[in-house]
Amino acid sequence: MIKFLDLKKINEQYQQELKEACSRVIDSGWYLLGRELENFEAEFARFCGTQYAVGVANGLDALTLVLQAWKELGYIEDSDEVIVPANTYIASILAITANNLTPVLVEPDIHTYNIDPQKIPEAITPKTKAILPVHLYGQLADMPAIMQIAQEYNLLVLEDCAQSHGAHIYNKKAGSWGHAGAFSFYPGKNLGALGDSGAITTDNKELDEVLRALRNYGSHEKYKNIYRGTNSRLDEIQAAMLLVKLKYLQNEIQLRQSVADKYIQGIRNPHIVLPHIFEKTAHVWHLFVIRSAKRDALQQYLNQHGIQTIIHYPIPPHKQVCYEYLDTLSLPITESIHKEVISLPISPVITEEEINRVIGICNQFNH
């Protein structure tokens, strides 16, 4: 079986360094909000090209805390609207509703699967205060167009960078385009921890300071709580692990891009729609997502031939039980995408033989 993603094999490459980092933390006797986190925050901000990075417990918290911080700062208030792509993972929507804000779902571009900037202005109302673009599957949304719209309508921009670590256009990386960027380091991400963790990037000093309090019970100083915060701290062990893996991220991105190039050049099947990229550096290939009107038959066929695949995502947010009040929305592009997408194996450790096997089996599919 060709695994969809072999995390054990990925982390085995750095096993010795990861163990040394873990030992360093254990021996330090300091396990939260310490030197490892400070070092990782500095290195990750440098990597992303921002002034600040704030480590938090996971990617969902990263999104949620930025919106909460903007409320604390008076930039937005309850029931204000946040524009978000309709075909995103549900975390993007959860962060909005968790802050008593209103998600406004906008259809994606059918070619890139990212929010269609041309559809954003028609969704803007007097209640709109922010845009939450998602760099889905590892490809940057059209940030120059989105930032131009945000500037014209005086809107905040929160980038959902959970899948796009290191993606860039015009030498600007994911997380440095908007007013803030939210990252996940879930183990399966391109920069994955060995557990849950996340981070927020920004150039805004005031936002940075509020976020550091919010992640720590709303407190800068122990037992003095300014805000109704939460417990969302990226711990020292995970920060140390991420420091190790950050050193190798750019190389792993290049390996993923090489795999994607081979898939795009090699897969030739009229039943399969290949991904579209508008700029090579804009896509870091967290996922290699194809579409097929015969998706279920294709997945079964691939599985029978020893190729593991995953569907990202089978049910769009507006069709989930928890958001049943959104079920009346007409989002045909989103719904067709969710019925047709399937993700092929891609990782920095997939072998040439496995790549060729995937290409060959895809080309043989004719159900």
Side-chain angles (χ1 to χ4, degrees), residues 1-7 9-10 13 252 254-263 267 285 288 306-309 343-359:
M1 174 67 76
I2 299 174
K3 290 185 177 181
F4 177 75
L5 182 65
D6 193 337
L7 285 179
K9 192 174 180 182
I10 289 172
Q13 301 174 101
E252 289 201 356
Q254 290 170 358
L255 290 170
R256 286 174 176 273
Q257 289 172 335
S258 175
V259 177
D261 285 345
K262 289 168 184 171
Y263 279 164
I267 297 174
W285 301 103
F288 190 92
I307 297 170
Q308 186 182 36
T309 59
S343 302
L344 298 179
I346 188 167
S347 82
V349 295
I350 191 172
T351 67
E352 195 78 23
E353 182 182 352
E354 289 172 331
I355 294 166
N356 291 332
R357 172 83 175 150
V358 172
I359 292 170

mmCIF file of all heavy atoms in Angstrom, residues 1-7 9-10 13 252 254-263 267 285 288 306-309 343-359:
data_model
loop_
_atom_site.group_PDB
_atom_site.id
_atom_site.type_symbol
_atom_site.label_atom_id
_atom_site.label_comp_id
_atom_site.label_asym_id
_atom_site.label_seq_id
_atom_site.Cartn_x
_atom_site.Cartn_y
_atom_site.Cartn_z
ATOM 1 N N MET A 1 0.849 -1.204 0.000
ATOM 2 C CA MET A 1 0.000 0.000 0.000
ATOM 3 C C MET A 1 0.879 1.246 0.000
ATOM 4 O O MET A 1 1.774 1.388 0.839
ATOM 5 C CB MET A 1 -0.922 -0.002 1.222
ATOM 6 C CG MET A 1 -1.755 1.252 1.430
ATOM 7 S SD MET A 1 -3.014 1.525 0.173
ATOM 8 C CE MET A 1 -4.270 0.331 0.659
ATOM 9 N N ILE A 2 0.640 2.135 -0.940
ATOM 10 C CA ILE A 2 1.304 3.439 -0.934
ATOM 11 C C ILE A 2 0.522 4.329 0.022
ATOM 12 O O ILE A 2 -0.630 4.680 -0.239
ATOM 13 C CB ILE A 2 1.342 4.057 -2.345
ATOM 14 C CG1 ILE A 2 2.134 3.156 -3.296
ATOM 15 C CG2 ILE A 2 1.958 5.460 -2.292
ATOM 16 C CD1 ILE A 2 2.102 3.617 -4.740
ATOM 17 N N LYS A 3 1.133 4.680 1.144
ATOM 18 C CA LYS A 3 0.440 5.468 2.160
ATOM 19 C C LYS A 3 0.154 6.871 1.654
ATOM 20 O O LYS A 3 0.956 7.463 0.916
ATOM 21 C CB LYS A 3 1.282 5.551 3.440
ATOM 22 C CG LYS A 3 1.387 4.250 4.212
ATOM 23 C CD LYS A 3 2.124 4.479 5.519
ATOM 24 C CE LYS A 3 2.177 3.201 6.354
ATOM 25 N NZ LYS A 3 2.864 3.433 7.639
ATOM 26 N N PHE A 4 -0.983 7.401 2.102
ATOM 27 C CA PHE A 4 -1.295 8.787 1.752
ATOM 28 C C PHE A 4 -0.228 9.720 2.314
ATOM 29 O O PHE A 4 0.238 10.639 1.636
ATOM 30 C CB PHE A 4 -2.678 9.171 2.288
ATOM 31 C CG PHE A 4 -3.024 10.604 2.026
ATOM 32 C CD1 PHE A 4 -3.387 11.008 0.757
ATOM 33 C CD2 PHE A 4 -2.956 11.553 3.042
ATOM 34 C CE1 PHE A 4 -3.682 12.338 0.495
ATOM 35 C CE2 PHE A 4 -3.254 12.875 2.787
ATOM 36 C CZ PHE A 4 -3.617 13.269 1.510
ATOM 37 N N LEU A 5 0.164 9.475 3.556
ATOM 38 C CA LEU A 5 1.188 10.295 4.206
ATOM 39 C C LEU A 5 1.862 9.453 5.279
ATOM 40 O O LEU A 5 1.200 8.999 6.212
ATOM 41 C CB LEU A 5 0.555 11.544 4.839
ATOM 42 C CG LEU A 5 1.496 12.529 5.522
ATOM 43 C CD1 LEU A 5 2.439 13.166 4.503
ATOM 44 C CD2 LEU A 5 0.723 13.604 6.273
ATOM 45 N N ASP A 6 3.162 9.252 5.146
ATOM 46 C CA ASP A 6 3.912 8.423 6.096
ATOM 47 C C ASP A 6 4.628 9.323 7.100
ATOM 48 O O ASP A 6 5.793 9.684 6.923
ATOM 49 C CB ASP A 6 4.909 7.540 5.344
ATOM 50 C CG ASP A 6 5.484 6.433 6.212
ATOM 51 O OD1 ASP A 6 5.472 6.590 7.448
ATOM 52 O OD2 ASP A 6 5.950 5.420 5.656
ATOM 53 N N LEU A 7 3.908 9.698 8.165
ATOM 54 C CA LEU A 7 4.471 10.616 9.154
ATOM 55 C C LEU A 7 5.676 10.022 9.866
ATOM 56 O O LEU A 7 6.634 10.728 10.180
ATOM 57 C CB LEU A 7 3.404 11.007 10.183
ATOM 58 C CG LEU A 7 2.344 12.013 9.721
ATOM 59 C CD1 LEU A 7 1.350 12.271 10.831
ATOM 60 C CD2 LEU A 7 2.998 13.310 9.280
ATOM 61 N N LYS A 9 7.899 7.991 8.709
ATOM 62 C CA LYS A 9 9.055 8.075 7.815
ATOM 63 C C LYS A 9 9.566 9.514 7.706
ATOM 64 O O LYS A 9 10.778 9.756 7.657
ATOM 65 C CB LYS A 9 8.678 7.534 6.431
ATOM 66 C CG LYS A 9 9.856 7.310 5.504
ATOM 67 C CD LYS A 9 9.394 6.629 4.215
ATOM 68 C CE LYS A 9 10.565 6.407 3.266
ATOM 69 N NZ LYS A 9 10.117 5.793 1.987
ATOM 70 N N ILE A 10 8.643 10.471 7.673
ATOM 71 C CA ILE A 10 9.047 11.879 7.611
ATOM 72 C C ILE A 10 9.852 12.260 8.844
ATOM 73 O O ILE A 10 10.936 12.848 8.754
ATOM 74 C CB ILE A 10 7.809 12.796 7.477
ATOM 75 C CG1 ILE A 10 7.183 12.643 6.076
ATOM 76 C CG2 ILE A 10 8.176 14.260 7.725
ATOM 77 C CD1 ILE A 10 5.852 13.352 5.914
ATOM 78 N N GLN A 13 13.583 10.991 9.623
ATOM 79 C CA GLN A 13 14.710 11.711 9.019
ATOM 80 C C GLN A 13 15.437 12.576 10.048
ATOM 81 O O GLN A 13 16.641 12.782 9.968
ATOM 82 C CB GLN A 13 14.219 12.623 7.897
ATOM 83 C CG GLN A 13 13.495 11.941 6.766
ATOM 84 C CD GLN A 13 12.941 12.970 5.795
ATOM 85 O OE1 GLN A 13 13.507 13.208 4.736
ATOM 86 N NE2 GLN A 13 11.831 13.588 6.166
ATOM 87 N N GLU A 252 11.807 20.471 2.102
ATOM 88 C CA GLU A 252 10.632 19.600 1.966
ATOM 89 C C GLU A 252 9.609 20.200 0.994
ATOM 90 O O GLU A 252 8.953 19.465 0.249
ATOM 91 C CB GLU A 252 9.998 19.344 3.330
ATOM 92 C CG GLU A 252 10.839 18.445 4.222
ATOM 93 C CD GLU A 252 10.030 17.776 5.328
ATOM 94 O OE1 GLU A 252 8.823 18.072 5.448
ATOM 95 O OE2 GLU A 252 10.601 16.929 6.041
ATOM 96 N N GLN A 254 10.340 22.000 -1.623
ATOM 97 C CA GLN A 254 10.876 21.739 -2.964
ATOM 98 C C GLN A 254 10.632 20.299 -3.391
ATOM 99 O O GLN A 254 10.327 20.034 -4.565
ATOM 100 C CB GLN A 254 12.365 22.078 -3.000
ATOM 101 C CG GLN A 254 12.635 23.569 -2.900
ATOM 102 C CD GLN A 254 14.105 23.903 -2.689
ATOM 103 O OE1 GLN A 254 14.941 23.020 -2.583
ATOM 104 N NE2 GLN A 254 14.411 25.179 -2.634
ATOM 105 N N LEU A 255 10.748 19.365 -2.454
ATOM 106 C CA LEU A 255 10.478 17.963 -2.766
ATOM 107 C C LEU A 255 9.004 17.768 -3.118
ATOM 108 O O LEU A 255 8.667 17.044 -4.066
ATOM 109 C CB LEU A 255 10.864 17.075 -1.579
ATOM 110 C CG LEU A 255 12.370 16.952 -1.307
ATOM 111 C CD1 LEU A 255 12.612 16.253 0.032
ATOM 112 C CD2 LEU A 255 13.060 16.178 -2.426
ATOM 113 N N ARG A 256 8.118 18.409 -2.370
ATOM 114 C CA ARG A 256 6.693 18.321 -2.671
ATOM 115 C C ARG A 256 6.393 18.921 -4.050
ATOM 116 O O ARG A 256 5.596 18.378 -4.827
ATOM 117 C CB ARG A 256 5.872 19.057 -1.600
ATOM 118 C CG ARG A 256 5.775 18.319 -0.270
ATOM 119 C CD ARG A 256 5.073 19.168 0.779
ATOM 120 N NE ARG A 256 4.880 18.442 2.023
ATOM 121 C CZ ARG A 256 3.845 17.658 2.291
ATOM 122 N NH1 ARG A 256 2.885 17.516 1.389
ATOM 123 N NH2 ARG A 256 3.740 17.041 3.443
ATOM 124 N N GLN A 257 7.011 20.053 -4.355
ATOM 125 C CA GLN A 257 6.798 20.687 -5.659
ATOM 126 C C GLN A 257 7.284 19.788 -6.790
ATOM 127 O O GLN A 257 6.666 19.727 -7.858
ATOM 128 C CB GLN A 257 7.505 22.051 -5.704
ATOM 129 C CG GLN A 257 6.816 23.087 -4.820
ATOM 130 C CD GLN A 257 7.595 24.378 -4.681
ATOM 131 O OE1 GLN A 257 8.829 24.398 -4.838
ATOM 132 N NE2 GLN A 257 6.912 25.466 -4.365
ATOM 133 N N SER A 258 8.354 19.071 -6.558
ATOM 134 C CA SER A 258 8.877 18.136 -7.553
ATOM 135 C C SER A 258 7.898 16.985 -7.800
ATOM 136 O O SER A 258 7.660 16.589 -8.950
ATOM 137 C CB SER A 258 10.238 17.585 -7.094
ATOM 138 O OG SER A 258 10.702 16.597 -7.974
ATOM 139 N N VAL A 259 7.328 16.453 -6.721
ATOM 140 C CA VAL A 259 6.330 15.379 -6.851
ATOM 141 C C VAL A 259 5.125 15.888 -7.644
ATOM 142 O O VAL A 259 4.631 15.220 -8.561
ATOM 143 C CB VAL A 259 5.877 14.861 -5.469
ATOM 144 C CG1 VAL A 259 4.778 13.806 -5.633
ATOM 145 C CG2 VAL A 259 7.053 14.287 -4.692
ATOM 146 N N ALA A 260 4.643 17.085 -7.277
ATOM 147 C CA ALA A 260 3.481 17.663 -7.959
ATOM 148 C C ALA A 260 3.761 17.856 -9.447
ATOM 149 O O ALA A 260 2.904 17.580 -10.293
ATOM 150 C CB ALA A 260 3.095 18.990 -7.307
ATOM 151 N N ASP A 261 4.969 18.331 -9.781
ATOM 152 C CA ASP A 261 5.347 18.508 -11.192
ATOM 153 C C ASP A 261 5.248 17.183 -11.948
ATOM 154 O O ASP A 261 4.749 17.136 -13.080
ATOM 155 C CB ASP A 261 6.775 19.045 -11.298
ATOM 156 C CG ASP A 261 6.882 20.519 -10.951
ATOM 157 O OD1 ASP A 261 5.828 21.195 -10.897
ATOM 158 O OD2 ASP A 261 8.011 20.997 -10.723
ATOM 159 N N LYS A 262 5.725 16.122 -11.322
ATOM 160 C CA LYS A 262 5.695 14.805 -11.972
ATOM 161 C C LYS A 262 4.264 14.313 -12.163
ATOM 162 O O LYS A 262 3.926 13.755 -13.220
ATOM 163 C CB LYS A 262 6.508 13.801 -11.157
ATOM 164 C CG LYS A 262 8.003 14.063 -11.236
ATOM 165 C CD LYS A 262 8.798 13.270 -10.213
ATOM 166 C CE LYS A 262 10.275 13.663 -10.287
ATOM 167 N NZ LYS A 262 11.060 13.097 -9.186
ATOM 168 N N TYR A 263 3.420 14.536 -11.168
ATOM 169 C CA TYR A 263 2.009 14.164 -11.306
ATOM 170 C C TYR A 263 1.363 14.949 -12.462
ATOM 171 O O TYR A 263 0.639 14.385 -13.292
ATOM 172 C CB TYR A 263 1.245 14.460 -10.023
ATOM 173 C CG TYR A 263 1.372 13.429 -8.917
ATOM 174 C CD1 TYR A 263 0.998 13.750 -7.604
ATOM 175 C CD2 TYR A 263 1.830 12.142 -9.154
ATOM 176 C CE1 TYR A 263 1.079 12.819 -6.577
ATOM 177 C CE2 TYR A 263 1.923 11.203 -8.127
ATOM 178 C CZ TYR A 263 1.542 11.548 -6.850
ATOM 179 O OH TYR A 263 1.623 10.625 -5.840
ATOM 180 N N ILE A 267 0.121 12.494 -15.328
ATOM 181 C CA ILE A 267 -1.271 12.015 -15.318
ATOM 182 C C ILE A 267 -2.008 12.576 -16.523
ATOM 183 O O ILE A 267 -2.149 13.796 -16.678
ATOM 184 C CB ILE A 267 -1.980 12.405 -13.995
ATOM 185 C CG1 ILE A 267 -1.297 11.715 -12.804
ATOM 186 C CG2 ILE A 267 -3.454 12.027 -14.054
ATOM 187 C CD1 ILE A 267 -1.824 12.145 -11.448
ATOM 188 N N TRP A 285 1.910 22.566 -1.948
ATOM 189 C CA TRP A 285 1.422 21.199 -2.094
ATOM 190 C C TRP A 285 1.278 20.447 -0.771
ATOM 191 O O TRP A 285 1.784 19.348 -0.611
ATOM 192 C CB TRP A 285 2.300 20.414 -3.069
ATOM 193 C CG TRP A 285 2.321 21.051 -4.418
ATOM 194 C CD1 TRP A 285 3.331 21.809 -4.947
ATOM 195 C CD2 TRP A 285 1.264 21.042 -5.395
ATOM 196 N NE1 TRP A 285 2.977 22.263 -6.194
ATOM 197 C CE2 TRP A 285 1.712 21.814 -6.496
ATOM 198 C CE3 TRP A 285 -0.004 20.454 -5.441
ATOM 199 C CZ2 TRP A 285 0.938 22.015 -7.627
ATOM 200 C CZ3 TRP A 285 -0.784 20.651 -6.568
ATOM 201 C CH2 TRP A 285 -0.312 21.419 -7.649
ATOM 202 N N PHE A 288 -2.269 17.234 -2.854
ATOM 203 C CA PHE A 288 -2.388 17.205 -4.307
ATOM 204 C C PHE A 288 -3.804 16.725 -4.607
ATOM 205 O O PHE A 288 -4.114 15.541 -4.508
ATOM 206 C CB PHE A 288 -1.362 16.269 -4.942
ATOM 207 C CG PHE A 288 -1.308 16.396 -6.442
ATOM 208 C CD1 PHE A 288 -0.423 17.270 -7.047
ATOM 209 C CD2 PHE A 288 -2.170 15.661 -7.251
ATOM 210 C CE1 PHE A 288 -0.385 17.405 -8.433
ATOM 211 C CE2 PHE A 288 -2.152 15.786 -8.627
ATOM 212 C CZ PHE A 288 -1.246 16.658 -9.225
ATOM 213 N N GLY A 306 -3.758 -0.544 -4.305
ATOM 214 C CA GLY A 306 -2.775 -0.260 -3.262
ATOM 215 C C GLY A 306 -2.366 1.191 -3.123
ATOM 216 O O GLY A 306 -1.249 1.482 -2.686
ATOM 217 N N ILE A 307 -3.264 2.109 -3.471
ATOM 218 C CA ILE A 307 -2.963 3.539 -3.347
ATOM 219 C C ILE A 307 -3.974 4.168 -2.396
ATOM 220 O O ILE A 307 -5.176 4.207 -2.682
ATOM 221 C CB ILE A 307 -3.000 4.237 -4.714
ATOM 222 C CG1 ILE A 307 -1.914 3.648 -5.625
ATOM 223 C CG2 ILE A 307 -2.793 5.750 -4.553
ATOM 224 C CD1 ILE A 307 -2.018 4.093 -7.060
ATOM 225 N N GLN A 308 -3.478 4.653 -1.261
ATOM 226 C CA GLN A 308 -4.344 5.249 -0.246
ATOM 227 C C GLN A 308 -4.647 6.702 -0.605
ATOM 228 O O GLN A 308 -3.738 7.472 -0.924
ATOM 229 C CB GLN A 308 -3.669 5.183 1.123
ATOM 230 C CG GLN A 308 -4.537 5.648 2.275
ATOM 231 C CD GLN A 308 -3.807 5.603 3.615
ATOM 232 O OE1 GLN A 308 -2.616 5.861 3.693
ATOM 233 N NE2 GLN A 308 -4.524 5.247 4.655
ATOM 234 N N THR A 309 -5.919 7.068 -0.568
ATOM 235 C CA THR A 309 -6.334 8.443 -0.851
ATOM 236 C C THR A 309 -7.238 8.941 0.270
ATOM 237 O O THR A 309 -7.742 8.170 1.066
ATOM 238 C CB THR A 309 -7.100 8.529 -2.179
ATOM 239 O OG1 THR A 309 -8.247 7.669 -2.101
ATOM 240 C CG2 THR A 309 -6.233 8.121 -3.359
ATOM 241 N N SER A 343 -7.710 13.434 -2.875
ATOM 242 C CA SER A 343 -6.306 13.786 -2.696
ATOM 243 C C SER A 343 -5.409 12.569 -2.879
ATOM 244 O O SER A 343 -5.615 11.536 -2.236
ATOM 245 C CB SER A 343 -6.089 14.380 -1.295
ATOM 246 O OG SER A 343 -6.908 15.514 -1.096
ATOM 247 N N LEU A 344 -4.411 12.718 -3.744
ATOM 248 C CA LEU A 344 -3.445 11.657 -3.998
ATOM 249 C C LEU A 344 -2.290 11.725 -2.993
ATOM 250 O O LEU A 344 -2.027 12.791 -2.409
ATOM 251 C CB LEU A 344 -2.882 11.786 -5.415
ATOM 252 C CG LEU A 344 -3.872 11.650 -6.571
ATOM 253 C CD1 LEU A 344 -3.143 11.820 -7.905
ATOM 254 C CD2 LEU A 344 -4.601 10.313 -6.524
ATOM 255 N N PRO A 345 -1.560 10.637 -2.797
ATOM 256 C CA PRO A 345 -0.415 10.664 -1.883
ATOM 257 C C PRO A 345 0.639 11.677 -2.342
ATOM 258 O O PRO A 345 0.998 11.717 -3.524
ATOM 259 C CB PRO A 345 0.145 9.233 -1.979
ATOM 260 C CG PRO A 345 -0.988 8.398 -2.444
ATOM 261 C CD PRO A 345 -1.800 9.289 -3.348
ATOM 262 N N ILE A 346 1.083 12.520 -1.425
ATOM 263 C CA ILE A 346 2.188 13.438 -1.705
ATOM 264 C C ILE A 346 2.904 13.729 -0.399
ATOM 265 O O ILE A 346 2.261 13.974 0.626
ATOM 266 C CB ILE A 346 1.707 14.744 -2.384
ATOM 267 C CG1 ILE A 346 2.912 15.578 -2.831
ATOM 268 C CG2 ILE A 346 0.775 15.545 -1.490
ATOM 269 C CD1 ILE A 346 2.540 16.716 -3.775
ATOM 270 N N SER A 347 4.207 13.658 -0.430
ATOM 271 C CA SER A 347 5.014 13.950 0.761
ATOM 272 C C SER A 347 6.466 14.054 0.338
ATOM 273 O O SER A 347 6.829 13.655 -0.772
ATOM 274 C CB SER A 347 4.853 12.852 1.819
ATOM 275 O OG SER A 347 5.700 11.756 1.516
ATOM 276 N N PRO A 348 7.329 14.567 1.215
ATOM 277 C CA PRO A 348 8.752 14.646 0.875
ATOM 278 C C PRO A 348 9.459 13.294 0.895
ATOM 279 O O PRO A 348 10.622 13.213 0.503
ATOM 280 C CB PRO A 348 9.318 15.590 1.945
ATOM 281 C CG PRO A 348 8.367 15.506 3.081
ATOM 282 C CD PRO A 348 7.021 15.266 2.475
ATOM 283 N N VAL A 349 8.773 12.242 1.338
ATOM 284 C CA VAL A 349 9.443 10.930 1.421
ATOM 285 C C VAL A 349 8.835 9.905 0.457
ATOM 286 O O VAL A 349 9.234 8.746 0.458
ATOM 287 C CB VAL A 349 9.417 10.367 2.864
ATOM 288 C CG1 VAL A 349 10.235 11.262 3.796
ATOM 289 C CG2 VAL A 349 7.983 10.204 3.387
ATOM 290 N N ILE A 350 7.879 10.319 -0.362
ATOM 291 C CA ILE A 350 7.345 9.391 -1.358
ATOM 292 C C ILE A 350 8.448 9.083 -2.371
ATOM 293 O O ILE A 350 9.222 9.968 -2.748
ATOM 294 C CB ILE A 350 6.081 9.975 -2.038
ATOM 295 C CG1 ILE A 350 5.363 8.906 -2.868
ATOM 296 C CG2 ILE A 350 6.405 11.212 -2.852
ATOM 297 C CD1 ILE A 350 4.003 9.351 -3.400
ATOM 298 N N THR A 351 8.548 7.848 -2.802
ATOM 299 C CA THR A 351 9.651 7.437 -3.679
ATOM 300 C C THR A 351 9.284 7.616 -5.151
ATOM 301 O O THR A 351 8.113 7.733 -5.520
ATOM 302 C CB THR A 351 10.029 5.974 -3.439
ATOM 303 O OG1 THR A 351 8.934 5.134 -3.872
ATOM 304 C CG2 THR A 351 10.321 5.707 -1.970
ATOM 305 N N GLU A 352 10.321 7.621 -5.983
ATOM 306 C CA GLU A 352 10.124 7.724 -7.434
ATOM 307 C C GLU A 352 9.251 6.574 -7.941
ATOM 308 O O GLU A 352 8.367 6.776 -8.790
ATOM 309 C CB GLU A 352 11.486 7.692 -8.129
ATOM 310 C CG GLU A 352 11.461 8.154 -9.574
ATOM 311 C CD GLU A 352 11.394 9.671 -9.699
ATOM 312 O OE1 GLU A 352 11.784 10.382 -8.758
ATOM 313 O OE2 GLU A 352 10.927 10.135 -10.764
ATOM 314 N N GLU A 353 9.510 5.400 -7.414
ATOM 315 C CA GLU A 353 8.730 4.233 -7.804
ATOM 316 C C GLU A 353 7.257 4.401 -7.440
ATOM 317 O O GLU A 353 6.357 4.063 -8.228
ATOM 318 C CB GLU A 353 9.295 2.979 -7.125
ATOM 319 C CG GLU A 353 8.582 1.687 -7.492
ATOM 320 C CD GLU A 353 9.139 0.473 -6.748
ATOM 321 O OE1 GLU A 353 10.180 0.607 -6.066
ATOM 322 O OE2 GLU A 353 8.507 -0.598 -6.838
ATOM 323 N N GLU A 354 7.005 4.934 -6.244
ATOM 324 C CA GLU A 354 5.617 5.155 -5.807
ATOM 325 C C GLU A 354 4.933 6.221 -6.656
ATOM 326 O O GLU A 354 3.759 6.080 -7.013
ATOM 327 C CB GLU A 354 5.599 5.537 -4.329
ATOM 328 C CG GLU A 354 5.952 4.380 -3.399
ATOM 329 C CD GLU A 354 6.126 4.805 -1.952
ATOM 330 O OE1 GLU A 354 6.520 5.974 -1.705
ATOM 331 O OE2 GLU A 354 5.868 3.971 -1.063
ATOM 332 N N ILE A 355 5.660 7.285 -6.981
ATOM 333 C CA ILE A 355 5.105 8.352 -7.826
ATOM 334 C C ILE A 355 4.679 7.777 -9.180
ATOM 335 O O ILE A 355 3.565 8.021 -9.663
ATOM 336 C CB ILE A 355 6.140 9.485 -8.027
ATOM 337 C CG1 ILE A 355 6.436 10.194 -6.705
ATOM 338 C CG2 ILE A 355 5.635 10.490 -9.070
ATOM 339 C CD1 ILE A 355 7.667 11.078 -6.750
ATOM 340 N N ASN A 356 5.572 7.006 -9.787
ATOM 341 C CA ASN A 356 5.277 6.422 -11.094
ATOM 342 C C ASN A 356 4.110 5.439 -11.021
ATOM 343 O O ASN A 356 3.312 5.332 -11.958
ATOM 344 C CB ASN A 356 6.522 5.729 -11.656
ATOM 345 C CG ASN A 356 7.609 6.718 -12.041
ATOM 346 O OD1 ASN A 356 7.317 7.866 -12.386
ATOM 347 N ND2 ASN A 356 8.863 6.299 -11.975
ATOM 348 N N ARG A 357 4.026 4.734 -9.896
ATOM 349 C CA ARG A 357 2.924 3.797 -9.703
ATOM 350 C C ARG A 357 1.590 4.550 -9.642
ATOM 351 O O ARG A 357 0.608 4.146 -10.271
ATOM 352 C CB ARG A 357 3.160 3.012 -8.406
ATOM 353 C CG ARG A 357 2.013 2.123 -7.956
ATOM 354 C CD ARG A 357 2.003 0.809 -8.642
ATOM 355 N NE ARG A 357 0.955 -0.072 -8.116
ATOM 356 C CZ ARG A 357 0.350 -0.994 -8.830
ATOM 357 N NH1 ARG A 357 0.683 -1.181 -10.097
ATOM 358 N NH2 ARG A 357 -0.573 -1.756 -8.293
ATOM 359 N N VAL A 358 1.548 5.645 -8.890
ATOM 360 C CA VAL A 358 0.327 6.452 -8.794
ATOM 361 C C VAL A 358 -0.068 6.971 -10.173
ATOM 362 O O VAL A 358 -1.242 6.896 -10.580
ATOM 363 C CB VAL A 358 0.516 7.625 -7.803
ATOM 364 C CG1 VAL A 358 -0.682 8.572 -7.856
ATOM 365 C CG2 VAL A 358 0.709 7.111 -6.381
ATOM 366 N N ILE A 359 0.902 7.500 -10.911
ATOM 367 C CA ILE A 359 0.627 8.033 -12.254
ATOM 368 C C ILE A 359 0.070 6.932 -13.160
ATOM 369 O O ILE A 359 -0.941 7.123 -13.845
ATOM 370 C CB ILE A 359 1.914 8.634 -12.866
ATOM 371 C CG1 ILE A 359 2.327 9.908 -12.101
ATOM 372 C CG2 ILE A 359 1.708 8.953 -14.355
ATOM 373 C CD1 ILE A 359 3.704 10.432 -12.469
#
